[in-house]
Amino acid sequence: MLPRKAPIQMSPFEYAPAPESRAVVDLQSSYGLFINGEFVDGGGNAFKSISPATEEVLAEVSEATDADVDAAVKAARTAYTRVWSKMSGADRGKYLYRIARILQERAREFAVLETLDNGKPIKESRDVDIPLAAAHFFYNAGWADKLEFASLPGGANPQPHGVVGQVIPWNFPMLMLAWKIAPALATGNTVVLKPAETTPLTALLFAEVCQQADLPPGVVNIVTGAGPTGQAIVDHPGIDKLAFTGSTGVGKMIARAIAGTRKKATLELGGKAANIVFDDAPIDQAVEGIVNGIFFNQGHVCCAGSRLLVQESIAEEVERRLKRRLGTLRVGDPLDKNTDVGAINSKAQLDRIIALTDAGESEGAERWDNGCALPDKGFWFRPTVFTGVTQTHRIAQEEIFGPVLSVLTFRTPQEAVAKANNTPYGLSAGIWTEKGSRILWMADQLKAGVVWANTFNQFDPTSPFGGYKESGYGREGGRHGLEPYVKGTH
Ligand code: TAP
């Protein structure tokens, strides 16, 4: 545990300077669970969190058993009943502002730890994950004393559910934590959260932030472990509401597990977004958008533009420019500020990417990668493009969740819409064209929760995010992101 720091003097708009090295992180050899405001040992077998870039062990982490989850839920219930539900929105907001400022103050530490544990490039954790996580706390802090004006169910008196169980994935560990915890606390709920087994460390650092902010014990509880720990949260009778981000497969299991119970749920699941480029698009900008769309965070992004739909007349030129651009991407040490593509998060994820890309080849698509050298240790995959992809290929239908782009072509806007909508998912899409009327028509036709026009992967705390079809239900972010946390909704 870190000693308490002096009161924070930063303005909400200041941002800590760029991280340079792992020296800013005070890594402990082992971490406990965070229950009722304290770190405690879990009853299960401790597991190792490793760096996917080097395979070195970063720390041992406690595994929460059913009994530990029960203790966390009880702590959250007591905190809800005795403290949090009685506190004014303005006072809850003060805690959220305090947390947001501490996240800014400790941004370098969080960014380096996220990069060590996850494998993502430091320039992304530094410029995207951590600033956005802080921004979500600032944004939701602003709502805490204005909920009666937010047009929520309950009107002038929206009511929290009580104890919320939250289970998050490994691709944006801190950002997903912020998307979950900030609106839950702003609306007056208390929380039991489980980070992914491969990326627990920033959630545990966040637990220290809760202590540092003097958040009342039990308002936030962090339980670490793998799937069974998540299952224990889902099944616990003391949980009033669940918020899950992860794969569609596990999302369906959760929906089945809570069917017929009083528990509400928000499910943010997988995606297979189409990034659609018309022949009137500014091609250089579109190529940058395609690269950002699929190679940001190694393609470990639910809304990644993993299918490029390009109009036939410009397909050859776009493919040529795309390959030239991919030749300039730097793959390697995630802590190097010049790295564009970091490590794959785990051996299991690397195996899934290899299996699906092998299927792409055997089903007849043409494979190309940028041929860059890869480090000897760790989990790596070269930026890869498949051309000649048809709609039935597995790489056009299934989420690869890696740095792999499947290219399909189209002739008319109608054909683009039909192909874009032809997957089980409906999370996001991108459109590149100069015609405003076409953007509006396409946005209306596409079955996607988010549609970007002439950009991709833009996130903002004010903007709701979520899916259609097998990408889940409920929204996170913006005013809409408060709705699932009050009674009368999912
Ligand atoms: P999952 O395997 O589904 O894991 C997500 C979380 O659920 C992890 O914490 C996992 O624990 C836990 N879990 C596993 N089995 C469980 C069970 N039976 N009951 C309760 N919890 C269980 O997904 P992932 O591989 O970590 O993440 C990738 C997926 O997340 C992709 O499909 C991606 O599209 C999706 N995702 C969606 C969004 C949005 S906003 N739609 C955002 C990010 C990611 P362990 O990992 O510790 O085993």
Side-chain angles (χ1 to χ4, degrees), residues 323-341:
K323 288 175 180 173
R324 197 168 61 205
R325 177 68 177 89
L326 294 191
T328 69
L329 288 183
R330 296 177 64 136
V331 181
D333 180 6
L335 278 173
D336 183 333
K337 286 183 223 168
N338 295 314
T339 291
D340 299 305
V341 179

Side-chain angles (χ1 to χ4, degrees), residues 167-172 176 179 194-198 225-227 230-231 234 244-248 250 253-254 268-271 301-302 349 352 399 401 427 465 471 476:
V167 179
I168 56 172
W170 45 261
N171 57 341
F172 292 94
M176 291 297 106
W179 280 26
K194 187 193 96 63
E197 185 187 14
T198 58
Q231 188 76 50
V234 171
F244 171 78
T245 295
S247 60
T248 294
V250 174
M253 282 165 53
I254 291 175
E268 298 284 359
L269 309 177
V301 183
C302 51
Q349 185 58 26
R352 270 196 286 273
E399 192 179 35
F401 224 56
L427 192 55
F465 186 91
S471 292
E476 294 189 306

